[in-house]
Amino acid sequence: MEKRKSVKFNFIMNSILTASAMIFPLITYPYVSRILQPQGIGSVSFANSVVTYFSMFAQLGIPTYGIRACAKVRDNKEMLTRTVQEIMFINMITCLIVYIAFACSLFWVPAFRQEKALYVVMGSLILFNTIGVEWLYKSLEQYSYITIRSVVFKFIALIAMFVLVHEKEDYIIYGGITIFAAVGSNIINFLNLRKFIYLRPVGAYNFRQHLKPISIFFAMSVATTVYTNMDNVMLGFMRGTTENGYYDAAVKIKNILVSFVASLGTVLMPRVSYYIEIGEQKEFYRITKKALKFVFLLATPLCLYFILFAAPSIYLISGELFSSSILPMRLIMPTLIFIGLTNIIGLQMLVPMGRENQVLYSEIAGAIVNLIINSILIPRMGAAGAAIGTVAAEITVFIVQIIALRKVVIPILGKLPYWKNFLALLGGAVLSVGVLMFDLANFITLAVSAVLFFGAYILILLLLREDMAKEIFEQALKILRIRKRDN
């Protein structure tokens, strides 16, 4: 049997994957946003949000459920094969039904009919997500494969973006390239299935066993999608796609940062599911405690830094036409902290423990709060109102999940290094904010301020002898010594 990679290795691989997901939009978005302008960017953003809802119904709760289901049987190839084939069959049926509904909507909804070509292109997301079985590769912790494959496709998409997008009318091409970058590599996933499971039918199928947990995960997916995509849909219908463009610029930066903060929880889910299955409770709690602390120390400085430097960030990434994105970006940044923590509490603790019902309840509560606040604020405040609704939704999810795991999580949260973190954040802010007083280029402003802010933040944590900061610093020194010795 293949030797199982360590959590650190998986985290490094997933960090590289996350970095590629960050670099791709950082390189392409400044280019395409200036060409397509808020209208073009908003049209693609609106279409993507709509297609995401259709994809949600096609996927049910399989992307999350599949990881847990396959992780439990990954040591038995025949059982793994049977599980994968059962889940894939269910997924194919729902994909076909959703495509029929999607085709009907292109004729019945005027807003979709007017942009039929764009929606057909963006609709390929549904098929790619179905055949990609990404959940299988994550359950087997194939993060080196996932990373290399994804980076290659993003590099191809990067070249295509500069070669093919030249005019404002090229927004459909832009939409297609974003789909290719995100899920085009799922074709390779499908072709590589034979390396991990038998392609022949193994028989003795039991589809019914998956229906109840999938329905729960589907309900979770619905609730999550409502409060993560409904703001874009409501903005498009209430304020027009230009407002979508402003909001998209703010959310684009937020999503890049969230993917980085949440990357640890993604690689830990199959591992903690495995620990619970074999009864390793101590190892389960040890990992989750460290994960919560790590996310807290990572998310808080990112949140504060991008609130302080929202303007140069927006101007660098999107250009002067997107000045209306600055306030929404500042308002939405606290979601980094709450999403990071709930990603650990929900996906790494509650789901592996079989308590996905509590995750569902938290996300339903978040969706309700999001819909109410969006309905009130979007007509008056546009993108800024949508940002407030998203933050309120994430806070609601966080509170409900804490209540569900209060006996375990509250003692851990109570021991987080709040005062050390506060002093480090204060030092970073004081040292860096003065950069805004100088009339520097946006890139120079961000480069200098980032070095000052994060350098001060890390240094102060080390001076205060914060345990995790010391551990990471010592690990980094160890790696440098090894490389120096090898050279």
Side-chain angles (χ1 to χ4, degrees):
M1 184 178 295
E2 180 184 358
K3 184 179 179 181
R4 191 163 294 131
K5 301 293 193 301
S6 69
V7 170
K8 288 182 180 179
F9 176 84
N10 290 339
F11 178 63
I12 291 170
M13 287 295 102
N14 205 56
S15 296
I16 295 172
L17 178 63
T18 301
S20 72
M22 294 169 62
I23 293 170
F24 176 70
L26 284 175
I27 295 175
T28 59
Y29 203 76
Y31 172 73
V32 296
S33 61
R34 287 164 174 80
I35 292 176
L36 302 181
Q37 300 179 16
Q39 177 66 41
I41 293 292
S43 295
V44 175
S45 176
F46 181 56
N48 184 66
S49 296
V50 170
V51 169
T52 297
Y53 278 99
F54 283 98
S55 181
M56 170 193 70
F57 282 99
Q59 291 297 295
L60 298 177
I62 288 171
T64 305
Y65 169 72
I67 297 175
R68 190 183 74 174
C70 293
K72 290 181 178 180
V73 296
R74 66 185 182 183
D75 292 335
N76 186 316
K77 189 171 183 179
E78 183 158 339
M79 290 181 66
L80 178 64
T81 299
R82 183 176 292 109
T83 300
V84 172
Q85 291 179 359
E86 289 168 347
I87 295 174
M88 282 192 70
F89 180 79
I90 295 171
N91 206 175
M92 291 290 186
I93 296 298
T94 58
C95 178
L96 178 61
I97 295 171
V98 165
Y99 261 124
I100 293 172
F102 182 66
C104 293
S105 73
L106 296 184
F107 291 96
W108 293 341
V109 181
F112 303 167
R113 189 168 60 245
Q114 293 171 4
E115 294 283 4
K116 189 182 299 182
L118 174 62
Y119 282 87
V120 169
V121 170
M122 300 297 288
S124 63
L125 173 74
I126 302 169
L127 177 62
F128 284 131
N129 277 337
T130 300
I131 67 173
V133 291
E134 188 86 350
W135 38 271
L136 169 63
Y137 294 90
K138 289 181 178 179
S139 72
L140 298 176
E141 301 186 54
Q142 294 291 317
Y143 287 100
S144 56
Y145 161 77
I146 292 172
T147 299
I148 294 170
R149 175 218 63 188
S150 181
V151 169
V152 169
F153 272 75
K154 282 181 171 60
F155 181 73
I156 296 171
L158 175 67
I159 296 173
M161 196 76 76
F162 290 106
V163 171
L164 299 177
V165 179
H166 299 295
E167 300 176 354
K168 189 176 181 180
E169 292 73 23
D170 291 337
Y171 62 94
I172 297 176
I173 298 174
Y174 165 66
I177 294 173
T178 59
I179 296 297
F180 178 84
V183 294
S185 57
N186 284 2
I187 296 173
I188 308 298
N189 282 8
F190 187 72
L191 297 176
N192 278 336
L193 277 175
R194 65 185 184 278
K195 295 181 179 179
F196 303 99
I197 63 171
Y198 301 119
L199 296 184
R200 59 174 173 81
V202 294
Y205 295 119
N206 181 7
F207 299 101
R208 184 173 296 179
Q209 66 174 319
H210 303 294
L211 297 181
K212 182 178 179 180
I214 281 179
S215 65
I216 294 174
F217 281 102
F218 171 61
M220 290 165 51
S221 176
V222 171
T224 302
T225 305
V226 165
Y227 74 78
T228 55
N229 286 280
M230 184 56 72
D231 41 12
N232 262 313
V233 175
M234 294 178 74
L235 271 173
F237 281 115
M238 292 181 177
R239 297 290 296 263
T241 53
T242 299
E243 197 72 18
N244 276 106
Y246 296 138
Y247 188 61
D248 185 74
V251 171
K252 184 74 69 177
I253 297 174
K254 185 267 293 186
N255 285 343
I256 291 171
L257 299 172
V258 163
S259 64
F260 182 65
V261 171
S263 59
L264 179 64
T266 302
V267 302
L268 284 176
M269 185 181 172
R271 181 63 57 89
V272 296
S273 296
Y274 181 73
Y275 283 145
I276 288 177
E277 185 68 15
I278 64 175
E280 289 282 352
Q281 294 292 331
K282 288 184 179 180
E283 192 65 16
F284 167 73
Y285 286 115
R286 184 187 70 82
I287 288 180
T288 51
K289 285 178 183 178
K290 293 188 71 172
L292 283 170
K293 189 174 185 180
F294 177 83
V295 166
F296 174 75
L297 291 174
L298 179 62
T300 49
L302 288 173
C303 172
L304 179 59
Y305 176 81
F306 282 96
I307 287 175
L308 295 174
F309 295 92
S313 300
I314 289 293
Y315 291 143
L316 177 65
I317 298 297
S318 304
E320 300 290 334
L321 291 176
F322 287 80
S323 58
S324 296
S325 302
I326 296 172
L327 178 59
M329 179 177 166
R330 285 181 172 142
L331 292 172
I332 208 169
M333 276 301 118
T335 58
L336 295 181
I337 301 171
F338 297 108
I339 292 176
L341 294 175
T342 55
N343 194 59
I344 301 298
I345 299 170
L347 293 183
Q348 185 190 318
M349 300 180 76
L350 287 170
V351 170
M353 292 168 69
R355 298 175 62 182
E356 52 267 15
N357 281 342
Q358 276 88 0
V359 180
L360 171 59
Y361 300 149
S362 71
E363 292 175 346
I364 290 174
I368 292 172
V369 169
N370 186 250
L371 283 170
I372 293 172
I373 294 180
N374 280 353
S375 299
I376 297 171
L377 297 184
I378 284 179
R380 303 175 184 177
M381 302 175 63
I388 294 172
T390 299
V391 173
E394 296 297 349
I395 293 174
T396 303
V397 172
F398 177 68
I399 292 172
V400 174
Q401 289 188 6
I402 282 185
I403 293 173
L405 266 180
R406 56 189 175 277
K407 291 183 180 179
V408 177
V409 174
I410 290 179
I412 297 174
L413 294 179
K415 294 179 181 179
L416 292 177
Y418 293 107
W419 71 271
K420 292 181 181 179
N421 179 258
F422 173 77
L423 291 176
L425 290 174
L426 181 62
V430 170
L431 195 61
S432 63
V433 76
V435 176
L436 292 171
M437 299 173 61
F438 300 94
D439 189 19
L440 302 173
N442 294 316
F443 177 78
I444 301 299
T445 298
L446 291 173
V448 173
S449 62
V451 170
L452 294 173
F453 182 93
F454 292 103
Y457 177 77
I458 295 170
L459 180 61
I460 292 172
L461 286 180
L462 290 173
L463 291 174
L464 294 174
R465 305 186 66 79
E466 201 291 311
D467 293 340
M468 180 158 285
K470 284 175 56 183
E471 181 181 343
I472 294 172
F473 182 70
E474 289 168 0
Q475 288 282 345
L477 286 179
K478 183 178 179 181
I479 292 172
L480 290 174
R481 290 193 193 102
I482 292 173
R483 288 183 178 177
K484 185 176 180 180
R485 184 185 63 197
D486 291 342
N487 292 333

